[in-house]
Amino acid sequence: MTKPFRQASLASTKPHKFNNPGVILITIFDNSQPKAHSAILKYRSLYFRNELTNINRDKNNIKTVNLNDVTIQQFEIIIKYIYGGIVSLEDLDTLFVFDLMVITCEFLFEELAKRLETYLIETKASWLRLHFSKVFQKSFQNNKFQELQNWCNDIIVKHPEKFFESENFTSIQENASISLIKRDDLQMEEVKIWKHIIKWGIAQNPGLSSDPKNWSNDNFLTIKTTLQNCLPFIRFFQISSEDVNDYLQPYRRMLDENLWDDIFKKCLSPNRPISTVILPPRVVLTQTLPPRTTEPFSKIINEAQAAEITSWIDKKADTDGFTPASFWNLCDRQTNLIVVVKVKDTDEILGGRVKNPEYAIYCSSNCGPVFGGRNCDLVIYNSINECWNVQSAYEKRIRNVAYYSGGFSYFSVDEYEIFQLNKKS
């Protein structure tokens, strides 16, 4: 059971008398208009204090605040927090909690946002990993999420190639780039970091040629201005002389004259003193092999089956229970998934990949995994005791058993596991 959050500062707040609390209407996501007291919102929230100051009352002496990105459920939790200082996360979907964290930060409820951030890191790390792109992007849109930023960067610095070489790298925010290149433990050669930062800087200036040979003096000044906050974290003196000649020299006009002179001096005479501060080399992490374990690869499949599947698998996800919410928390918007199902009281193992995109997993709020699109060849409902199979989209029946009229067979499962696949090289 999740312990409710109680606002620490509320207990020390002196009672406040409201002579005329007033009423406001708040228009939210579904056009509902719940009511609240303006004096209480202004007293408890700097955000609402600022908003209400600039809103005039209507003929009925009512102010209306538009919060079109907030759902009624989110607003109810925020109102309970405003009035009582308590938030319960019991039975709340992880995505809902994440979005609630973002919203409460926007409303300047920093204490609550920080508690939600800590809760997600400590109890929902698997969900954060499966939705890493969203988590990374949102965490750097607001510098209040320092713990999440560090959590994301702790993952990236160990295997930065996937991040820096991704299609989305050039669209990340400047503070995200800086947070990574300033890390001592970033596991990448300095010259590669330099090349990626140059690529990012060029992408911020549409129309700028990727070849510095075609740049004018104004172009060099532009890219220097774009990267002015990044350049102090590049460890120029950890780049080999050969790479300096190949990859720094073409951009020397965007570097300060004194810096370039010192880089050149160091290339010619490594022991010669210079005036520029030399940043230390990055720390190379020593990979510690995990201890040998007898824990099986899977609770469902045997070693022979595991050997076949291992070459496909990028990561395995625990199902965290059999509710539809648990399944979709892990699998929503994920690709290349395989679900392996163990049928109760039998040796059957059900699993497979849907090759035709038209018949991929069907989304339903009442179900977990559904194979066969709307035709529903295999369905796992709310309970693992409510599963059924019918031949429709697949060439063969997924279960070769007796079935009722209409072609349906009902069964239960002990458990199922989810794997994400890599393309074979």
Side-chain angles (χ1 to χ4, degrees), residues 283-319:
V283 178
V284 178
L285 300 179
T286 302
Q287 186 174 8
T288 302
L289 295 177
R292 294 181 65 86
T293 177
T294 57
E295 182 180 350
F297 173 82
S298 168
K299 297 177 182 179
I300 299 177
I301 56 181
N302 59 36
E303 292 185 4
Q305 294 163 328
E308 171 65 20
I309 294 179
T310 298
S311 61
W312 311 340
I313 291 174
D314 178 36
K315 54 190 173 186
K316 168 188 168 184
D318 297 324
T319 51

Side-chain angles (χ1 to χ4, degrees), residues 204-263:
Q204 310 315 303
N205 296 279
L208 183 63
S209 171
S210 60
D211 188 349
K213 293 178 181 178
N214 300 325
W215 292 0
S216 63
N217 288 334
D218 287 342
N219 292 148
F220 277 103
L221 181 60
T222 295
I223 199 71
K224 179 179 180 179
T225 302
T226 299
L227 296 178
Q228 61 183 334
N229 296 321
C230 298
L231 294 179
F233 300 105
I234 300 297
R235 309 187 183 200
F236 294 103
F237 297 97
Q238 309 306 327
I239 299 176
S240 70
S241 299
E242 185 175 313
D243 286 336
V244 166
N245 184 63
D246 291 342
Y247 302 110
L248 257 67
Q249 194 272 344
Y251 301 97
R252 67 187 185 280
R253 290 160 65 188
M254 60 173 278
L255 301 177
D256 289 339
E257 184 175 350
N258 184 61
L259 172 60
W260 175 249
D261 286 345
D262 282 347
I263 292 173

